[in-house]
Structure formats: C-alpha cells, structure tokens
Amino acid sequence: MNSFLKRIPFASLSFQYAPQRDPASGSHYAKDSCLRTVVPLKLCLYSSAHAFGHTTRLLAVAAQIRSREPQARLVLNSHVPDWLIDVHLGSAIERRSVRLDVGLVQSDSFTTDTAATIERYHLLEQCADRLVASERDWLAHEKFDAVLADIPPLAGRLADTFRPVWGMSNFGWDFIYRNLEEAFRPLAERSAALYRHYSGLFELPFAEPMTAFDPIVPVPLVVNEARFDRDAVRRALGLSARQPMALMTFGGLGLGGFPAARVVEHPDWQFVVTATAPENLPNVTTVEPGAWRLIELLTAADLALIKPGYSTVAECCALGLPVVSLDRPGFAEAELLIAALCRHLDCRILSNTDFFEQPWDFLDGSLGRRPPLAAPGAGIIAEAILSGVR
C-alpha cells in the first residue's frame, strides 16, 4: 500500500462496537426498540515499561477524555510511581501494573544493559500466551470498548472484532531494536510482527517511518496541561519574576551524576532540579516528586537542560522554550528528537562529557524563545476515541 493511503483521517475509520450517545449525560448507551441502557465509555491504557514519557502522554489523553466524558471508566497499566499518576489525574483513573513489554533495561537515561534487556524479552515471550489470554479475558469480562497503547508490541494481540487496540507513539520498539547491535535483530522482527495486530496508530510528530502499523493517523503534539501559570509556579519556588531560571530534568532514570562544578560558576542563575542534587548549593532548588507536572516547571523556566525524550521535547516545543540537550548515543529515537529540536527551538546539543567538563557559555543569553508549536494532539485523540464508540 502506498504510504499516503495509510495516512487517512480517523473519521473514515470505525470501531465495531458503536453505542449511541445520551445527550443528557454525555455517556454512551446501547439501544434497541424497547430499552436504553446507559453505557459509559470504558478505555484501558497500556504503557511501555520504559521511563516516564509513555505514561505521561497517555495520561494527557486520559485527562482530555475525562473532561469530555466524566462517567468514562479509565484504567491505566503502567510501572511508574504512584506520585506521577497522582499529579496528573489522581483518583480519576484506575491503576493496574500489567507489563506487556520490556523496552530497554537501563541504569540511567543514557546507559543500556544489553544482556538484561534480551534476557527479560525472552522471559516475557515465555509467558506471553498466558498473559495475553488473561488480559483478553479480563477486558471482555469488564466490557472495555477499546485499548490505547503506547507502545508495547504485545498489546496488539489484545485486539479482536469488538475491541480495537490503537497505538500512540513516535517510534516502535522494532525501530529501536533494529538500530542496536545484531543480537537485537530477532527482537525487532518479532516486535514488528506484533505491531501488525494493532488496529491502527496515532502517529505523533517527529516520528520514525512506523512501517509496522496500518492505518496511520498523524496527530499534532500531545502534551499535558499546566494547572498553574508562570508567576504562580515561580512564587511557589521562591523565585522572583526576573530571576533567570534553568530547569534541569533528565527523565525518570536520571543523569547518573550532578554537574555541581558548572552550576557554582553561575550564581546569578537559579537551577531547578527534578532529581537528587547536592544540598549545599545555594542556587539549586530541588523539587519533590509529584509536586509539579513537568509542563508547569517548564512554563516557569527560561531555559531547559534535558535529555532527548519525547514528552520533554514535545512540551519544550509547545512552549517555544530554548533548550540545551545532551546527545544520547545508541538510542535511535534521540536522533529524530534532536533534529526536531534543531528545527523548532533555539538549542545547543552537548555530549555528556562536555556538559560536565566544559564551561556553560550557553547561559550568556544567546539562546532565546521561538514561536511555540501547536499541541492539541491529546484532545484530538480523545475526540477520535469517543467518536469511535458513538
């Protein structure tokens, strides 16, 4: 099939289960000639067992669904800490801890344990049939209408005639594995085969070719919404409106160290840090996990120091915020994200060594804001899912 034929609007697609919508309650209902029974949307979400970004963008979509249909039942399968879910949706979403993939086993955001990743992948394969059967039975028993997954390959096997499984991502694990060493090639092929069971994909910006999916529906950036504006966040952090602030955030797996020597060279800057930092540095503010959504801290920042992870890059682009990003050798997605940063933002790309050892001349004011990119993707996906069961 030609690639442009795969990129079709969601409106031309349909779910098999299509109850009517109750105009009074906003819920859906099954309807026959004699009886109308209210049936709220039931959506199950599955997140890759890798870092935080896959889960936070699923939560962004879940929040948009919740705002449109308060009666919807939303269940999230994720490995992330409770505080990450609480700060985004709290009790508005149920949680399970079923893991349908491995991702990459990493000691920090930049170091992959090849042997452990392959071992865990094979262990998952050994129990895959039992796991899929159990999840299919549970989804059927609980009468879920659809599944949204980001982006475990095995989730594709949960699709059936009555329950579509839609993916949401800018990359598949087949792409990541294919760009690693030869030992990962069988993992890439098996992951691609599983992705072909998906009902389709909401393709996020800055994506790899995503050749394993069909159909593909391109959507704009998916980001979470800030609860507080720049001034409110700065006041809570003890910052003045004019004090330059750089946010240092390197994902849920961290950086593996802290550049204290570089930080003390810039006492005029305040550095807000989302991970462990030395306590004796007066120009460092460490935020507690779960106190803020990342988008709120970015809203209050003048500069972001990051690793190239999708959710962080997307939120920086949605704000037009200048960025200093570390490179991420050996992780194929990073090349796509760094290219996006260079296209859309005022940015600098550094190696880990340069970040720790070279002067931070990027704090001289030469990096400025750019026009923000539109980011209505979460709402568009929410509307598409809701329209699919109307």
Side-chain angles (χ1 to χ4, degrees), residues 231-239 292:
D231 290 341
V233 176
R234 280 181 160 256
R235 284 194 301 271
L237 294 174
L239 303 176
W292 302 96

Side-chain angles (χ1 to χ4, degrees), residues 50 102-106 110-118 121 171-189 191 328-335:
H50 183 87
V102 172
L104 292 176
V105 179
Q106 295 181 275
F110 301 88
T111 308
T112 297
D113 188 330
T114 297
T117 300
I118 294 174
Y121 192 100
F171 74 86
W173 286 108
D174 58 325
F175 172 74
I176 302 299
Y177 294 151
R178 195 172 292 114
N179 284 275
L180 295 173
E181 58 196 76
E182 186 64 28
F184 281 89
R185 192 57 55 88
L187 278 63
E189 297 308 315
S191 296
R328 204 175 179 189
F331 200 78
E333 183 203 19
E335 297 180 13

